[in-house]
Amino acid sequence: MQESLDRLQICHKLEPTDANIVNQIARSLLVPFGYQFNHVIKPIDCTDRFLLGRHKLAINAYKKAQILNDETDWETNYNMGLSYLYLNDLNKVKEHMNLSLQSRVSQEAFQVLARIALAQENLKEAISTYERALRCVKSPGA
């Protein structure tokens, strides 16, 4: 994993304006080795400063990718939302999931939003989010 990140950083030095490379670097920083996001929202132990720093680095890399990219990229916002999820900043998660959904309808983004609402014991918001997801699936332009 670290070797891959090192090679991506070399590519970035060669092509500093390539948003795709910056996105790949951010993705490498997002998920700790051997850990997969399973869409279960629960408090995350951020006592490991190394992992905490990696998620902040991932957010900074995604922000840089957004600047380099001319278009709004749903995936960058989605992944930035996941980065904030690891940091337990649920307001930022919601913000970036909603930005992601403005660019592209994504079942995963709706799922994250609904599960956050459930974790916050806001059943009304969770149901509303699932209903919105169903409407968007039935008519993707909505």
Side-chain angles (χ1 to χ4, degrees):
M1 188 73 144
Q2 184 61 45
E3 184 179 342
S4 171
L5 180 59
D6 292 341
R7 290 178 192 260
L8 284 168
Q9 288 174 332
I10 291 168
C11 290
H12 178 59
K13 286 180 184 175
L14 296 172
E15 295 286 339
T17 59
D18 189 331
N20 290 326
I21 293 171
V22 178
N23 269 320
Q24 289 295 329
I25 290 170
R27 274 188 214 101
S28 297
L29 293 167
L30 175 61
V31 182
F33 182 72
Y35 184 86
Q36 291 185 341
F37 178 65
N38 62 2
H39 297 297
V40 175
I41 310 298
K42 57 185 175 186
I44 296 169
D45 181 13
C46 292
T47 56
D48 185 336
R49 292 189 183 275
F50 176 73
L51 292 180
L52 182 65
R54 302 283 275 209
H55 298 303
K56 287 182 179 179
L57 285 173
I59 290 167
N60 289 336
Y62 283 125
K63 286 179 181 178
K64 182 175 182 176
Q66 285 182 322
I67 292 168
L68 294 173
N69 200 351
D70 293 336
E71 304 171 5
T72 302
D73 178 16
W74 76 270
E75 191 174 16
T76 300
N77 277 308
Y78 176 78
N79 287 329
M80 196 180 309
L82 291 183
S83 298
Y84 282 113
L85 179 64
Y86 288 112
L87 297 175
N88 221 17
D89 187 341
L90 299 184
N91 289 328
K92 286 287 191 179
V93 176
K94 289 180 188 180
E95 174 187 338
H96 286 283
M97 291 300 155
N98 283 313
L99 287 169
S100 173
L101 288 168
Q102 288 176 12
S103 301
R104 179 178 170 264
V105 174
S106 160
Q107 173 187 344
E108 293 86 359
F110 279 120
Q111 224 174 18
V112 171
L113 289 170
R115 290 185 187 237
I116 288 172
L118 288 172
Q120 294 175 330
E121 298 181 5
N122 188 339
L123 188 58
K124 186 176 179 179
E125 183 180 333
I127 291 170
S128 173
T129 301
Y130 284 126
E131 287 173 344
R132 184 173 154 218
L134 287 173
R135 282 191 307 275
C136 288
V137 169
K138 287 180 182 176
S139 78

